[in-house]
Amino acid sequence: MDKREIAHYIDHTLLKPVATWEQIDELCKEAIEYETASVCIPPNYIARVKAKYGDKLTVATVIGFPLGYEATGVKQAECETALEDGADEIDMVIDITAVKNGDIASVTKEICSIKKICGDHILKVIVETCYLTKEEKIALCGAVTEAGADYIKTSTGFGTAGATIEDVKLFKEHIGPGVRIKAAGGIRTREDMEAYIEAGCDRIGCSSTKVLF
């Protein structure tokens, strides 16, 4: 694939807790130059990025990040604030403890409530595959589909492991027709990016976009 074509799949990402404005600003400049799908940034930088760059780039942010066990009301408030600040896309972390307790219904309900707030804005649901069994991953494909989210996403990049091709293939087999796939975590080379796109990903979370250029 052409490097520009690959870049169109990438959410150019910087979510480190020590990320400075200078680093975020550089990320945005790179995203515009490389024509990535979006930048994915901490929520406290959304308004500043939008004020400087406006519609020159698509801004994604995270809620319930990185552990996912905040109360649903907290995630809803995070989502509302992010959208008010100018976020175009939301990446939310599910309540993994609910999954481990077998309560997929509450996960589905929470995703649905966040999607309702998002409206036409894209919602990506991070399931953090490194903590899940195969059966739980399949169940979450159903939850994300039923709740009407736009993407199922493998990982935060802060867990014990990141994306795998096997998980992408599993998602592809079990998600509904309206759900797309985002892989994130540990994707650092052009070969990795091409492999995940070929496996069926529509987005890739990546902090290493520069390797293409």
Side-chain angles (χ1 to χ4, degrees), residues 47-61:
R48 193 169 179 182
V49 166
K50 277 294 183 178
K52 181 169 183 178
Y53 292 101
D55 295 331
K56 292 181 180 178
L57 47 73
T58 297
V59 175
T61 196

Side-chain angles (χ1 to χ4, degrees), residues 26-185:
E26 182 64 24
L27 187 87
C28 293
K29 291 174 182 175
E30 291 170 354
I32 293 169
E33 178 185 353
Y34 303 152
E35 299 178 350
T36 62
S38 78
V39 289
C40 188
I41 59 174
N44 54 321
Y45 283 118
I46 298 168
R48 193 169 179 182
V49 166
K50 277 294 183 178
K52 181 169 183 178
Y53 292 101
D55 295 331
K56 292 181 180 178
L57 47 73
T58 297
V59 175
T61 196
V62 288
I63 65 171
F65 193 86
L67 300 176
Y69 49 33
E70 295 85 349
T72 296
V74 173
K75 291 181 184 177
Q76 291 170 339
E78 283 187 279
C79 185
E80 289 169 351
T81 301
L83 294 174
E84 288 169 3
D85 284 348
D88 302 295
E89 301 181 356
I90 301 293
D91 291 32
M92 70 165 287
V93 184
I94 62 163
D95 182 356
I96 302 165
T97 62
V99 178
K100 290 302 176 183
N101 286 315
D103 191 3
I104 300 296
S106 74
V107 176
T108 306
K109 184 178 179 181
E110 180 176 85
I111 298 168
C112 188
S113 75
I114 299 299
K115 180 56 186 174
K116 185 176 181 180
I117 294 169
C118 286
D120 292 334
H121 295 277
I122 286 175
L123 174 63
K124 311 183 199 99
V125 178
I126 308 170
V127 300
E128 200 69 293
T129 50
C130 62
Y131 299 132
L132 305 176
T133 65
K134 180 179 179 180
E135 291 72 24
E136 288 166 344
K137 293 170 191 175
I138 292 171
L140 286 167
C141 286
V144 171
T145 301
E146 182 181 341
D150 302 281
Y151 281 82
I152 186 168
K153 177 179 170 182
T154 61
S155 318
T156 61
F158 286 71
T160 56
T164 69
I165 293 292
E166 290 73 23
D167 283 336
V168 170
K169 290 179 178 178
L170 185 70
F171 288 169
K172 193 73 173 176
E173 185 178 352
H174 293 282
I175 54 174
V179 181
R180 290 166 282 179
I181 300 170
K182 176 177 174 179

